[in-house]
Every structure is written in structure tokens, then in C-alpha cells.
Amino acid sequence: MSYAYGQAGDTTLAFPDIEIARGGSCAVVGPSGSGKTTLMHLIAGLLTPATGSIQIAGERMDTSSQRERDRLRGRLIGIVLQQLRLVASLSALENLLLAQRLSGHPVNRASAAEQLAGLGLGHRLHHRPHALSQGEAQRVAIARALVGRPALLLADEPTSSLDDANTELVLQLLTEQAVEHGAALLVVTHDARIRGRLEQEIELAKVAP
Ligand SMILES: Nc1ncnc2c1ncn2[C@@H]1O[C@H](COP(=O)(O)OP(=O)(O)OP(=O)(O)O)[C@@H](O)[C@H]1O
Ligand SMILES: [Mg+2]
């Protein structure tokens, strides 16, 4: 698959083929500017590839209309962004309920509370993001990404701002949750601590300027 920024193809990025089974995991690593974020955006249907294709749970992301992509993204993909973007005025539990509503799934308070409890946050349901530690907020973001039972869990730099202990915890949570929910896990990162930790590892090369 490839993507070109700019009319004249100023920056053309080429990506190797990636295939991840449900419950499987893959890390995409590479230096700054190698195209990790671009790859996330392509997979999430926010950009359209110049060549190649993207298929998630049998659905083509690259050839669908914008409206269809938005629908597929909500139904098939859970995303953990580096900036967590939890809603500051809502509690941990309410952030999950909002995500349920946005993903088009029925709102189920009990299952959202259970999901948070399963990530060790049972005592933090009614805390707002500012009252959570960085590691706790990261776990809320992971729980939120999973509420829609996605086929693909995408995480952009999920550990870069965490200490070693929380990095370990988040890595374990992501891989365990992917297996438990039958989701494919794709992590893009420049964090060297992730190396060798997921089933597959793909290294993007720095593009020549
Ligand atoms: N909107 C844009 N227009 C033109 N070029 C862009 C645009 N966005 C990114 N690029 C270029 O594409 C390349 C890949 O960018 P990308 O953000 O995907 O890299 P990255 O691997 O995520 O880097 P980082 O680790 O710094 O986040 C870079 O050379 C960047 O300058
Ligand atoms: Mg990036």
C-alpha cells in the first residue's frame, strides 16, 4: 500500500502488507516521519491510499464512500489516541456510555461498569479524567476503545508518556483485551520498550527527503 502527500507526490510513503488475525497483535515501529500516523489514518479510513487496499473484518475501507467509512469506523475500529481525548466534564463511566452511544451500540451501563472494573477501575467509575492518574486515564481510554466490540483495536503511541511499570501494564491490558474480545491489535509507536513484545513487528524506514 502507498500514500502520496501533495499534488506532485512530494512525499510518497510505501507500506508493507500487514495481516493480523482476531486476537493477534502487531507493532509498527519506525523513526519520526516514517509514516506511522499516516498508516493509522489510512487504516481508519481517514485517508485514501494511492495504491493497495485495506480490509477489516471483510469490509473494504479504501473503496467505501466517506459516509460508509464513518459507519464502518464506528462499528469495526476502536482507537486509542496518544492524546486520550477523554471528555473532561464526564466521569470515567460516562465517557464509556458516550462512546457506546457514538458507536451505534445500545447503551448498557452495567456492561460499561463491568468493563472498567475488569481493568482495575471499579473504584474510579465516577472520577473525572483530571482526578485520574495518567495510567488510570490510559486504561479508561482502552476500555472506551473496546465498548463497541471492535474487530480492530488501533493504538497510537499508547505508552510513550508512561513510566516502565505503567507501560508494562498497558501492554498486558492491550494484548489480553484483544484476545478476550477477539480483536486484532495494531500498535504504532517509536517506543523502544514495545520492541519484541507483540506477535508481529513491522519496521517502517525513514523516507528520503
Ligand atoms: N498533511 C501533510 N502534508 C504533507 N506531508 C505530510 C503531511 N502529514 C505528514 N506528512 C509527511 O509524511 C511523512 C510521514 O508523516 P507521519 O506523521 O505519518 O510520520 P510518523 O511516523 O507518525 O512520525 P512521528 O513519529 O513524528 O509522529 C513525514 O515526512 C511528514 O512530513
Ligand atoms: Mg506520528
Side-chain angles (χ1 to χ4, degrees):
M1 181 165 68
S2 69
Y3 184 78
Y5 281 110
Q7 295 292 337
D10 312 337
T11 307
T12 301
L13 300 163
F15 301 100
D17 291 346
I18 304 177
E19 184 168 354
I20 313 171
R22 281 177 174 268
S25 61
C26 178
V28 173
V29 297
S32 179
S34 60
K36 301 182 296 296
T37 297
T38 305
L39 179 63
M40 281 257 305
H41 290 168
L42 285 163
I43 294 171
L46 299 166
L47 293 173
T48 306
T51 63
S53 63
I54 300 135
Q55 193 165 331
I56 302 166
E59 305 274 6
R60 280 288 290 270
M61 210 59 187
D62 53 309
T63 48
S64 305
S65 66
Q66 196 55 56
R67 193 188 164 86
E68 180 67 5
R69 286 179 203 200
D70 292 344
R71 202 182 63 79
L72 289 173
R73 189 180 314 118
R75 186 159 67 81
L76 298 174
I77 306 179
I79 304 181
V80 184
L81 296 166
Q82 184 174 11
Q83 304 298 326
L84 302 176
R85 307 238 164 87
L86 295 171
V87 180
S89 59
L90 299 180
S91 70
L93 181 62
E94 289 164 344
N95 265 281
L96 262 69
L97 297 177
L98 176 65
Q100 284 181 337
R101 192 165 317 139
L102 293 177
S103 75
H105 285 70
V107 175
N108 184 329
R109 209 179 164 86
S111 85
E114 196 179 307
Q115 177 71 39
L116 285 168
L119 299 185
L121 293 165
H123 59 312
R124 293 285 183 266
L125 299 185
H126 306 297
H127 281 55
R128 293 193 186 162
H130 71 85
L132 298 170
S133 73
Q134 179 73 27
E136 287 170 343
Q138 184 65 272
R139 278 181 274 157
V140 174
I142 292 170
R144 181 183 58 177
L146 288 163
V147 292
R149 309 236 158 238
L152 175 65
L153 181 58
L154 285 180
D156 191 1
E157 303 284 3
T159 58
S160 305
S161 54
L162 301 179
D163 64 15
D164 287 353
N166 271 302
T167 292
E168 196 53 41
L169 189 64
V170 161
L171 260 181
Q172 271 175 27
L173 278 178
L174 284 170
T175 48
E176 277 169 20
Q177 294 290 311
V179 170
E180 195 176 317
H181 292 261
L185 171 66
L186 180 72
V187 175
V188 305
T189 188
H190 67 263
D191 186 348
R193 296 173 297 183
I194 306 288
R195 304 219 76 150
R197 298 298 308 275
L198 301 186
E199 280 174 15
Q200 301 181 58
E201 195 160 288
I202 286 176
E203 186 160 3
L204 300 180
K206 175 129 187 75
V207 278

